[in-house]
Amino acid sequence: MAPRLSADTRQAQLDRLADTPLDLIVIGGGITGAGIAWEAALRGLRVALFERGDFASGTSSKSSKLLHGGLRYLEQAEIKLVFESLAERNRLFHDAPHVAHKLPFLFPIFAGGPTKSYVIGPGLWLYDVLSAISSLKETKWHERLSPQEALEEAPALRRNGLRRVYRYMDGLTEDARLVIETIKSAVAAGA
């Protein structure tokens, strides 16, 4: 049985590595490396994960921390990409609610602005439908707010020319915690 991941078991992990032939060595302890190590261990491979610094201290620690489906990619008709991103986001909401939280976003439309509500409204419907296909339970449908409702929710929003506002849902993650949880799962699976 693999030792649990902790500073106290580090030496046991290193000792175990010295006597274990490996199928895979993953270099880089961010979310990608952690996910690869976990997936490989689940598939029965003997795997070790190495990180030069601390887990989640590189690129993973510099992320926006947003969990989103890529609303802007709908404009380029990247439907498959948006669907996959929303499915992953919804999976995190369901499987890891302690590190993935729903977060409402406001999308204001201003008179004379570059974004038109006749584009955003249908785009948000498509975004919600793609989300619902992967998980109806995790989907919160967008809403159209009046300027007054939006200003009550976000008083710092510019008032001049505000025509309407859409509220839609994406998410936020505790990225370093997500990496550590993934590594712990990899260790539990034998990495």
Side-chain angles (χ1 to χ4, degrees), residues 6-24:
S6 78
D8 296 334
T9 62
R10 185 173 188 273
Q11 191 57 53
Q13 288 278 7
L14 292 172
D15 293 344
R16 184 172 155 239
L17 269 178
D19 299 325
T20 305
L22 296 171
D23 298 312
L24 178 65

Side-chain angles (χ1 to χ4, degrees), residues 106-121 124 144 147 157-166:
L106 297 180
F107 198 117
I109 308 292
F110 295 95
T115 306
K116 306 296 182 206
S117 62
Y118 63 82
V119 173
I120 293 303
L124 286 170
R144 189 172 130 185
L157 194 59
R158 189 179 89 207
R159 298 170 187 275
N160 187 25
L162 183 61
R163 297 187 45 93
R164 68 177 48 124
V165 178
Y166 292 95

